[in-house]
Amino acid sequence: MNLKELSKQEERLESGHRLCPGCALPMIARQLLHSLHGEPVVVGCATGCLEVSTTIYPYTAWKTPWIHNAFENVAATMSGAETAYRVLQKRGKIPKDKKIKFLAIGGDGGTYDIGLQSLSGTLERGHNLVYVCMDNEAYQNTGIQRSSSTPFAAATNTSPVGKIKKGKEQFKKDLTAVIAGHHIPYVAQASPHNWVDLMKKAEKAFAVEGPAFINTISPCVPGWGYKSDQTQEMARLAVDTCFWPLFEIENDVWKLNYNPGDKKEPIINWCKHQARFRHLLKPENKELLDKFQAHVDERWEWVKKQCGK
Amino acid sequence: MSGESWKEIPIGGVIEKAGNSKEYKTGSWRSNRPIHVPDKCIHCMICWIVCPDCAVKAKDGNFSHFDYDYCKGCGNCAARCPKDAIVMKTELEAQKEDEK
Ligand code: SF4
Ligand code: SF4
């Protein structure tokens, strides 16, 4: 993955979109598009920050065919687009040798929650497309409401911190493992701070026949409450604390792509930069922090075990 | 697009000009400005890959310039530059220097 060579490629997500300064979503989207090296691609977005802010009427930042339908059905919409392509090719309306890729993108709201059913159906039917979840861990676009992806103890507007309740009471849903249960050819977890890993995974995902899924961590400046220049650092810390392990599952074989080993950082190193976790720094909430840490460690051990480590 | 009547709007809300978001300049959002220090730059293009706004412009695989029409001043390019070849200045400071 040579950045100098990649920088000669055409940008297919243009400037002028209205995502917040420092947003991770366009970082991830650009990496995905560059991993295609100019191959034709049809993109679909579920309702969410990326969809809203890149296509404020009458503008679009996309230089690819692009479609938005609703919150819950980007996977269904894209499975329809992919099927239409196959049928038109069969009927000779699209040349046999013309290869077109299909990319569906959803946030955690559109993927972990609202679109899970249509995504599951798409994977089960075996459509030849790539689904990428950009997980910013809440309904950030509508004003920071908790989702099933929001981490334990994180404050959102629907899981606030007060005298009695201290942020979200439930643990984050392990969506990547849920997707792995569909036994599709390719599943991975990636982070935009490690673009080599993310883009290699994207290349693999686009290359396989059948459905592929990549879950990416997408730090959110206003939702997580950190300084706008720390987006890359928040992604790195999510990985180095083992909150967001980097792994891939090729034909049901799990592989760990990165192990911080002795350099594994405590979860507080990630939390302390984020306003949504501010209360965890208080001595009286130590129990919560310990519970969060124990859960991260437990999940990390589980992932390592799947990967045969 | 302004000045068109509803009759000229494409059916289905289709946007016919791909990438026309470029007509909307986001550079005015910026309160901090990245400044490139050419002597320190090794043209690794890390700033290019991390920029969320395609505001780091490359030429022949090398750093060329910042596109201040779109740069929102987030500072991720400076934070990730391995050679401290990008300095963040407040927009006020930078504008004062421009005037000199
Ligand atoms: S990250 Fe720094 S050293 Fe690398 S190309 Fe950009 S300015 Fe130059
Ligand atoms: S400050 Fe942010 S928007 Fe401006 S060039 Fe750097 S990374 Fe891009």
Side-chain angles (χ1 to χ4, degrees), chain B residues 34 51-53 55-56 66 71-77:
Chain B
C51 179
D53 290 279
V56 176
F66 289 113
C71 166
K72 293 171 186 162
C74 68
N76 279 282
C77 54

Side-chain angles (χ1 to χ4, degrees), chain A residues 3-9 11 13-24 26-27 30-31 34 54-64 192-195 199 227-233, chain B residues 1 9-10 13-15 17-26 29 42-63 67 70 72-76 79-80:
Chain A
L3 290 183
K4 289 174 92 69
E5 287 308 313
L6 289 175
S7 73
K8 295 175 187 168
Q9 294 183 165
E11 291 295 347
L13 184 74
E14 265 299 354
S15 308
H17 62 70
R18 290 179 234 180
L19 288 154
C20 301
C23 180
M27 294 178 183
R30 287 186 59 229
Q31 290 178 24
H34 279 293
T54 57
T55 59
I56 294 181
Y57 196 78
Y59 299 108
T60 179
W62 297 87
K63 285 166 115 181
T64 65
H193 84 286
N194 189 340
W195 49 82
M199 293 176 77
K227 287 206 211 85
S228 73
D229 64 349
Q230 293 301 301
T231 297
Q232 286 274 316
E233 178 67 1
Chain B
M1 277 256 180
I9 293 174
V14 169
I15 303 167
K17 220 168 128 198
N20 68 346
S21 61
K22 280 207 98 167
E23 291 166 26
Y24 187 90
K25 298 197 172 163
T26 52
W29 296 16
I42 54 166
H43 301 281
C44 64
M45 304 316 280
I46 288 174
C47 53
W48 169 82
I49 192 73
V50 303
C51 179
D53 290 279
C54 305
V56 176
K57 292 298 170 197
K59 195 168 183 276
D60 305 326
N62 288 328
F63 181 100
D67 189 341
Y70 303 100
K72 293 171 186 162
C74 68
N76 279 282
R80 285 300 311 256

Side-chain angles (χ1 to χ4, degrees), chain A residues 289-305:
Chain A
L289 182 63
D290 291 346
K291 193 172 165 188
F292 190 12
Q293 182 67 63
H295 186 71
V296 169
D297 294 344
E298 200 182 294
R299 300 307 316 154
W300 171 236
E301 289 306 320
W302 186 83
V303 167
K304 282 199 294 188
K305 204 170 130 207

Side-chain angles (χ1 to χ4, degrees), chain A residues 29 52 114 145 156 174 180 239 271 286:
Chain A
V52 168
I114 307 176
Q145 293 87 14
T156 69
D174 188 354
V239 172
C271 296
K286 186 165 181 308

